[in-house]
């Protein structure tokens, strides 16, 4: 049974995070949808360092799909746009109430998840510059990647640990150590 994963993006996203998250999850067999959260619903998305991505669809077309995981890459301009996208907020709140997994990296845990109360009483981390904005979370600033099994939330500090973050996402979707064949293929077995 395919695992459906939503990766919402907007202009100013962190390219390394978008690329790595998407690539690792697809290698694991997940059906990944890149959804544009641009206010004009443009599918052409530009990362913070000029790389471009073509989203599969605007986020409003994702409202009727059940996702096993929603993953928010960082990048301050993008995360701010994600925070203000009503359709994405609706999807994230539904994800939480259904007990399904959601995740964020870099500054997105603080800018998006914490802003909407999605990290209340949840073990979490984020980019060190935003750690003081993780309101309501049980902050673990020494951890690069934090998995809160009870709350179904995965957070990470940023681009430098996105491979380990992506492997943890594979684990929450497919089970313990399921990332290992991908890590071996990528010569990244050191990551966890």
């Amino acid at each position: 049974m395919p695992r459906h994963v939503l990766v919402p993006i907007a202009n100013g996203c962190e390219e390394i995070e978008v690329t790595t998250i998407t690539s690792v999850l697809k290698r694991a067999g997940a059906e990944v949808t890149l959804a544009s959260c641009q206010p004009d619903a443009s599918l052409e998305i530009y990362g913070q360092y000029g790389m471009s991505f073509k989203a599969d669809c605007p986020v409003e077309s994702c409202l009727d799909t059940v996702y096993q995981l929603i993953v928010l890459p960082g990048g301050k301009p993008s995360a701010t746009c994600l925070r203000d996208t009503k359709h994405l907020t609706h999807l994230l709140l539904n994800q939480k109430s259904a007990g399904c997994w959601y995740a964020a990296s870099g500054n997105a845990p603080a800018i998006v998840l914490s802003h909407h109360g999605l990290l209340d009483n949840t073990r979490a981390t984020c980019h060190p510059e935003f750690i003081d904005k993780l309101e309501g979370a049980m902050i673990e600033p020494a951890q690069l990647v934090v998995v809160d099994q009870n709350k179904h939330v995965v957070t990470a500090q940023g681009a430098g640990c996105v491979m380990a973050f992506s492997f943890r996402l594979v684990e929450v979707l497919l089970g313990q150590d399921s990332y290992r064949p991908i890590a071996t293929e990528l010569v990244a077995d050191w990551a966890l």
Side-chain angles (χ1 to χ4, degrees):
M1 174 171 133
R3 304 282 197 237
H4 296 280
V5 179
L6 180 66
V7 180
I9 57 174
N11 287 340
C13 58
E14 172 51 66
E15 291 99 334
I16 293 172
E17 293 180 22
V18 174
T19 303
T20 305
I21 291 163
T22 303
S23 176
V24 169
L25 288 168
K26 284 187 174 199
R27 288 168 192 260
E31 220 173 88
V32 180
T33 300
L34 278 178
S36 169
C37 288
Q38 284 299 114
D40 64 358
S42 171
L43 298 183
E44 185 94 16
I45 305 295
Y46 294 94
Q48 60 185 353
Y49 297 102
M51 284 180 64
S52 62
F53 299 93
K54 184 169 189 277
D56 298 308
C57 59
V59 72
E60 54 265 25
S61 69
C62 300
L63 295 172
D64 294 329
T65 304
V66 175
Y67 294 97
Q68 282 70 44
L69 173 64
I70 298 176
V71 187
L72 311 179
K76 189 174 180 184
S78 177
T80 302
C81 186
L82 300 183
R83 178 196 68 204
D84 298 337
T85 301
K86 289 183 172 137
H87 295 301
L88 177 59
T89 302
H90 173 77
L91 285 163
L92 286 166
L93 292 172
N94 282 349
Q95 198 78 355
K96 180 180 180 177
S97 66
C100 294
W101 288 93
Y102 53 97
S105 183
N107 49 32
I111 293 175
V112 185
L113 297 183
S114 185
H115 176 82
H116 292 296
L118 292 162
L119 292 179
D120 290 350
N121 300 310
T122 302
R123 295 175 44 243
T125 193
C126 72
H127 191 282
E129 290 180 13
F130 291 83
I131 207 85
D132 61 332
K133 306 227 183 312
L134 282 180
E135 297 174 12
M138 296 183 293
I139 302 168
E140 297 192 13
Q143 299 299 314
L144 296 177
V145 179
V146 175
V147 179
D148 190 318
Q149 291 284 347
N150 296 326
K151 300 288 187 162
H152 296 104
V153 177
V154 185
T155 51
Q157 289 193 8
C161 57
V162 72
M163 185 70 74
F165 174 64
S166 299
F167 291 157
R168 289 295 186 217
L169 299 177
V170 170
E171 279 196 321
V172 302
L173 283 176
L174 302 173
Q176 187 171 3
D177 293 330
S178 55
Y179 73 90
R180 288 201 179 275
I182 299 161
T184 300
E185 173 191 340
L186 295 172
V187 196
D189 204 33
W190 50 266
L192 296 175

